[in-house]
PDB file of all heavy atoms in Angstrom:
ATOM      1  N   SER B  87       3.822-155.771 -20.147  1.00  0.00           N
ATOM      2  CA  SER B  87       3.360-154.361 -20.054  1.00  0.00           C
ATOM      3  C   SER B  87       3.484-153.812 -21.509  1.00  0.00           C
ATOM      4  O   SER B  87       4.281-154.275 -22.296  1.00  0.00           O
ATOM      5  CB  SER B  87       4.175-153.545 -19.089  1.00  0.00           C
ATOM      6  OG  SER B  87       5.442-153.343 -19.613  1.00  0.00           O
ATOM      7  N   LEU B  88       2.704-152.797 -21.748  1.00  0.00           N
ATOM      8  CA  LEU B  88       2.726-152.223 -23.133  1.00  0.00           C
ATOM      9  C   LEU B  88       4.133-151.602 -23.404  1.00  0.00           C
ATOM     10  O   LEU B  88       4.635-151.656 -24.514  1.00  0.00           O
ATOM     11  CB  LEU B  88       1.643-151.133 -23.231  1.00  0.00           C
ATOM     12  CG  LEU B  88       1.346-150.662 -24.647  1.00  0.00           C
ATOM     13  CD1 LEU B  88       0.933-151.775 -25.596  1.00  0.00           C
ATOM     14  CD2 LEU B  88       0.246-149.584 -24.660  1.00  0.00           C
ATOM     15  N   ASP B  89       4.734-151.011 -22.371  1.00  0.00           N
ATOM     16  CA  ASP B  89       6.032-150.449 -22.490  1.00  0.00           C
ATOM     17  C   ASP B  89       7.111-151.472 -22.874  1.00  0.00           C
ATOM     18  O   ASP B  89       7.900-151.217 -23.758  1.00  0.00           O
ATOM     19  CB  ASP B  89       6.450-149.790 -21.169  1.00  0.00           C
ATOM     20  CG  ASP B  89       5.805-148.439 -20.987  1.00  0.00           C
ATOM     21  OD1 ASP B  89       5.185-147.940 -21.910  1.00  0.00           O
ATOM     22  OD2 ASP B  89       5.861-147.911 -19.816  1.00  0.00           O
ATOM     23  N   GLU B  90       6.942-152.625 -22.240  1.00  0.00           N
ATOM     24  CA  GLU B  90       7.917-153.689 -22.519  1.00  0.00           C
ATOM     25  C   GLU B  90       7.815-154.131 -23.998  1.00  0.00           C
ATOM     26  O   GLU B  90       8.805-154.369 -24.698  1.00  0.00           O
ATOM     27  CB  GLU B  90       7.671-154.895 -21.563  1.00  0.00           C
ATOM     28  CG  GLU B  90       8.586-156.025 -21.664  1.00  0.00           C
ATOM     29  CD  GLU B  90       9.980-155.660 -21.279  1.00  0.00           C
ATOM     30  OE1 GLU B  90      10.177-154.875 -20.310  1.00  0.00           O
ATOM     31  OE2 GLU B  90      10.930-156.215 -21.984  1.00  0.00           O
ATOM     32  N   MET B  91       6.560-154.229 -24.468  1.00  0.00           N
ATOM     33  CA  MET B  91       6.297-154.642 -25.849  1.00  0.00           C
ATOM     34  C   MET B  91       6.858-153.572 -26.812  1.00  0.00           C
ATOM     35  O   MET B  91       7.410-153.865 -27.857  1.00  0.00           O
ATOM     36  CB  MET B  91       4.804-154.903 -26.091  1.00  0.00           C
ATOM     37  CG  MET B  91       4.241-156.034 -25.300  1.00  0.00           C
ATOM     38  SD  MET B  91       5.139-157.527 -25.575  1.00  0.00           S
ATOM     39  CE  MET B  91       4.114-158.275 -26.760  1.00  0.00           C
ATOM     40  N   ASN B  92       6.545-152.296 -26.400  1.00  0.00           N
ATOM     41  CA  ASN B  92       7.015-151.221 -27.283  1.00  0.00           C
ATOM     42  C   ASN B  92       8.548-151.211 -27.450  1.00  0.00           C
ATOM     43  O   ASN B  92       9.059-150.990 -28.504  1.00  0.00           O
ATOM     44  CB  ASN B  92       6.587-149.858 -26.663  1.00  0.00           C
ATOM     45  CG  ASN B  92       5.175-149.507 -27.044  1.00  0.00           C
ATOM     46  OD1 ASN B  92       4.681-149.869 -28.098  1.00  0.00           O
ATOM     47  ND2 ASN B  92       4.477-148.826 -26.177  1.00  0.00           N
ATOM     48  N   LYS B  93       9.225-151.486 -26.289  1.00  0.00           N
ATOM     49  CA  LYS B  93      10.676-151.528 -26.281  1.00  0.00           C
ATOM     50  C   LYS B  93      11.213-152.539 -27.266  1.00  0.00           C
ATOM     51  O   LYS B  93      12.094-152.351 -28.053  1.00  0.00           O
ATOM     52  CB  LYS B  93      11.132-151.872 -24.854  1.00  0.00           C
ATOM     53  CG  LYS B  93      12.427-151.202 -24.451  1.00  0.00           C
ATOM     54  CD  LYS B  93      12.658-151.307 -22.949  1.00  0.00           C
ATOM     55  CE  LYS B  93      12.964-152.716 -22.538  1.00  0.00           C
ATOM     56  NZ  LYS B  93      13.090-152.869 -21.098  1.00  0.00           N
ATOM     57  N   ARG B  94      10.574-153.739 -27.217  1.00  0.00           N
ATOM     58  CA  ARG B  94      11.026-154.861 -28.126  1.00  0.00           C
ATOM     59  C   ARG B  94      10.749-154.548 -29.573  1.00  0.00           C
ATOM     60  O   ARG B  94      11.513-154.777 -30.482  1.00  0.00           O
ATOM     61  CB  ARG B  94      10.393-156.127 -27.698  1.00  0.00           C
ATOM     62  CG  ARG B  94      10.885-156.602 -26.372  1.00  0.00           C
ATOM     63  CD  ARG B  94      10.149-157.797 -25.836  1.00  0.00           C
ATOM     64  NE  ARG B  94      10.418-158.005 -24.434  1.00  0.00           N
ATOM     65  CZ  ARG B  94      10.712-159.126 -23.865  1.00  0.00           C
ATOM     66  NH1 ARG B  94      10.810-160.222 -24.620  1.00  0.00           N
ATOM     67  NH2 ARG B  94      10.936-159.220 -22.592  1.00  0.00           N
ATOM     68  N   MET B  95       9.481-153.978 -29.811  1.00  0.00           N
ATOM     69  CA  MET B  95       9.145-153.715 -31.207  1.00  0.00           C
ATOM     70  C   MET B  95       9.956-152.503 -31.788  1.00  0.00           C
ATOM     71  O   MET B  95      10.170-152.390 -32.951  1.00  0.00           O
ATOM     72  CB  MET B  95       7.656-153.438 -31.356  1.00  0.00           C
ATOM     73  CG  MET B  95       6.814-154.717 -31.311  1.00  0.00           C
ATOM     74  SD  MET B  95       7.456-156.016 -32.396  1.00  0.00           S
ATOM     75  CE  MET B  95       6.829-155.514 -33.948  1.00  0.00           C
ATOM     76  N   GLN B  96      10.488-151.691 -30.916  1.00  0.00           N
ATOM     77  CA  GLN B  96      11.338-150.553 -31.321  1.00  0.00           C
ATOM     78  C   GLN B  96      12.662-151.127 -31.860  1.00  0.00           C
ATOM     79  O   GLN B  96      13.087-150.695 -32.972  1.00  0.00           O
ATOM     80  CB  GLN B  96      11.628-149.644 -30.062  1.00  0.00           C
ATOM     81  CG  GLN B  96      12.446-148.456 -30.367  1.00  0.00           C
ATOM     82  CD  GLN B  96      11.810-147.509 -31.364  1.00  0.00           C
ATOM     83  OE1 GLN B  96      10.587-147.363 -31.405  1.00  0.00           O
ATOM     84  NE2 GLN B  96      12.658-146.874 -32.245  1.00  0.00           N
ATOM     85  N   ARG B  97      13.183-152.185 -31.257  1.00  0.00           N
ATOM     86  CA  ARG B  97      14.375-152.842 -31.718  1.00  0.00           C
ATOM     87  C   ARG B  97      14.088-153.542 -33.081  1.00  0.00           C
ATOM     88  O   ARG B  97      14.934-153.505 -33.973  1.00  0.00           O
ATOM     89  CB  ARG B  97      14.818-153.908 -30.715  1.00  0.00           C
ATOM     90  CG  ARG B  97      15.232-153.334 -29.399  1.00  0.00           C
ATOM     91  CD  ARG B  97      16.677-152.865 -29.415  1.00  0.00           C
ATOM     92  NE  ARG B  97      17.654-153.956 -29.343  1.00  0.00           N
ATOM     93  CZ  ARG B  97      18.903-153.876 -29.632  1.00  0.00           C
ATOM     94  NH1 ARG B  97      19.392-152.698 -30.044  1.00  0.00           N
ATOM     95  NH2 ARG B  97      19.745-154.878 -29.522  1.00  0.00           N
TER      96      ARG B  97
END
Side-chain angles (χ1 to χ4, degrees):
Chain B
S87 72
L88 193 58
D89 282 348
E90 186 61 40
M91 298 303 266
N92 277 329
K93 213 166 72 187
R94 292 174 196 226
M95 282 314 281
Q96 182 61 34
R97 295 276 285 164

